[in-house]
Amino acid sequence: GLQHLMVVGDSVRLTQVFRNVISNALKFSYPGTDVIVRTKWLPDRMESIGAELLEELKSSRPMKVAGSLRVDVQDSGPGLPPENLQHLFKEGVQFDANKLQAGGGSGLGLWIAKGIVHLHGGEISAFSRGRDTGATFSVELPVVQYVEQDSNEPHSENLGGCEDPVSEVHIFPFGKLAVQNVLVVDDAATNRKMMCRVLRNIGCKCSEAYDGTECLEIMRGRLQSSLSETVASNCPASDDESVVEAPIDLILMDSEMPIMKGPETVAELRRMGVNCLIFGCTGNVLQSDHDHFTTNGADFVLTKPLSLERLSETLKSFHCVSIGDRIL
């Protein structure tokens, strides 16, 4: 039945995919309209890919291939004509960016999502009937299931293709997060240097950004580097020895900065598909200031002055096992 279906993969990367697809739907839907998310179990799909997953899992408990899980995200936005759909998942593609996104966005989100889904043996697609009809994005991933050896319950045939939400879906992470690479964003050089010195003393690798625009530039480069590494690992060996930068595990984001403030920068990072932990940092104690950060996509807000103890406690609450060389 529908119980104990499991999607096997990297929970952080898959969350990045769904964050991107759902945030796009919310962004492009017209005010006052709905975004609909549906899940559907397809028990006869992706059998060969599921079998490969079982080989890799080597579970001590007996498991079986259980088809696939499809998640459909339907928006009520401007829709897309057929000629645009076939190019939608290519690198840097944007349609009517100035009209639909106020000139924002990088055009990388769906391209990166496609790479992540394909690495998990899945498929991502889009459907639209044309202009002003909305669009539906579908992510389909193979699933496996434990074999209930003691159960004598007959198989219920009418569960196949059920439109009801799946009762339990487990995404197995490859491991809990160890924070190693930190990006510190603050227009005050003294604050940046001090925080980086503290973090490097416990074994972290730190990058620095003066303001939001420099942060976005750095993260666009990291996203490109991460995807290039992903593609290269699945291609035949080549003579390309270009350095691949390590992905950022944590961003510490100041609030009040010139050109682009912290909350606005966080919102743009999430639109780009950045899914690492982002902690806002502010000297403001008003709850409304903290809420402004979190509503734009920050995972948590720390009050200045920052302390390593407070940062460690917060990371532990997010199931991080270490920061640098320090075990949490």
Side-chain angles (χ1 to χ4, degrees), residues 146-301:
Y146 285 124
V147 176
E148 299 295 338
Q149 295 176 304
D150 297 330
S151 174
N152 295 317
E153 296 180 7
H155 177 70
S156 178
E157 296 293 339
N158 63 359
L159 289 176
C162 173
E163 292 286 358
D164 295 330
V166 174
S167 57
E168 287 187 60
V169 178
H170 301 280
I171 299 177
F172 285 158
F174 290 149
K176 293 184 177 181
L177 178 62
V179 175
Q180 191 69 34
N181 297 285
V182 183
L183 173 59
V184 179
V185 188
D186 198 314
D187 62 310
T190 303
N191 293 343
R192 288 200 316 274
K193 301 298 182 185
M194 181 180 68
M195 195 68 227
C196 287
R197 186 181 301 116
V198 170
L199 291 170
R200 287 176 180 133
N201 283 341
I202 61 169
C204 290
K205 297 177 181 178
C206 293
S207 303
E208 302 177 37
Y210 168 77
D211 64 7
T213 55
E214 187 178 7
C215 170
L216 295 178
E217 183 179 346
I218 290 172
M219 292 308 296
R220 285 193 184 101
R222 296 295 176 113
L223 287 173
Q224 291 270 24
S225 182
S226 176
L227 189 61
S228 297
E229 180 184 29
T230 293
V231 171
S233 67
N234 287 270
C235 294
S238 68
D239 296 329
D240 183 7
E241 296 182 357
S242 56
V243 176
V244 177
E245 294 181 290
I248 295 295
D249 304 313
L250 169 67
I251 299 176
L252 297 176
M253 180 74 66
D254 186 31
S255 179
E256 299 296 328
M257 296 182 291
I259 305 177
M260 180 177 277
K261 298 185 184 300
E264 289 71 30
T265 306
V266 174
E268 181 58 29
L269 287 169
R270 295 311 191 194
R271 280 192 288 268
M272 286 167 50
V274 173
N275 196 53
C276 67
L277 286 174
I278 303 179
F279 290 173
C281 305
T282 178
N284 301 325
V285 296
L286 294 177
Q287 186 61 44
S288 58
D289 293 319
H290 288 225
D291 291 343
H292 186 41
F293 246 130
T294 54
T295 54
N296 277 282
D299 295 290
F300 195 80
V301 182

Side-chain angles (χ1 to χ4, degrees), residues 92-166:
V93 169
Q94 292 176 282
F95 302 111
D96 297 333
N98 289 327
K99 178 181 177 182
L100 299 178
Q101 302 187 58
S106 62
L108 296 175
L110 289 176
W111 180 60
I112 292 171
K114 177 183 177 182
I116 294 171
V117 171
H118 282 184
L119 280 177
H120 285 77
E123 299 175 1
I124 183 169
S125 60
F127 171 78
S128 177
R129 298 185 185 278
R131 289 290 187 187
D132 298 317
T133 62
T136 299
F137 286 78
S138 300
V139 177
E140 186 176 356
L141 296 163
V143 293
V144 295
Q145 187 177 38
Y146 285 124
V147 176
E148 299 295 338
Q149 295 176 304
D150 297 330
S151 174
N152 295 317
E153 296 180 7
H155 177 70
S156 178
E157 296 293 339
N158 63 359
L159 289 176
C162 173
E163 292 286 358
D164 295 330
V166 174

Side-chain angles (χ1 to χ4, degrees), residues 41-47 50 65-69 140-144:
W41 177 42
L42 303 169
D44 299 319
R45 293 269 296 166
M46 297 187 170
E47 292 184 0
V65 177
S68 68
L69 176 71
E140 186 176 356
L141 296 163
V143 293
V144 295

Side-chain angles (χ1 to χ4, degrees), residues 43-61:
D44 299 319
R45 293 269 296 166
M46 297 187 170
E47 292 184 0
S48 61
I49 298 173
E52 293 175 10
L53 284 176
L54 290 183
E55 285 290 325
E56 294 179 9
L57 278 175
K58 296 181 172 62
S59 173
S60 59
R61 290 179 57 184

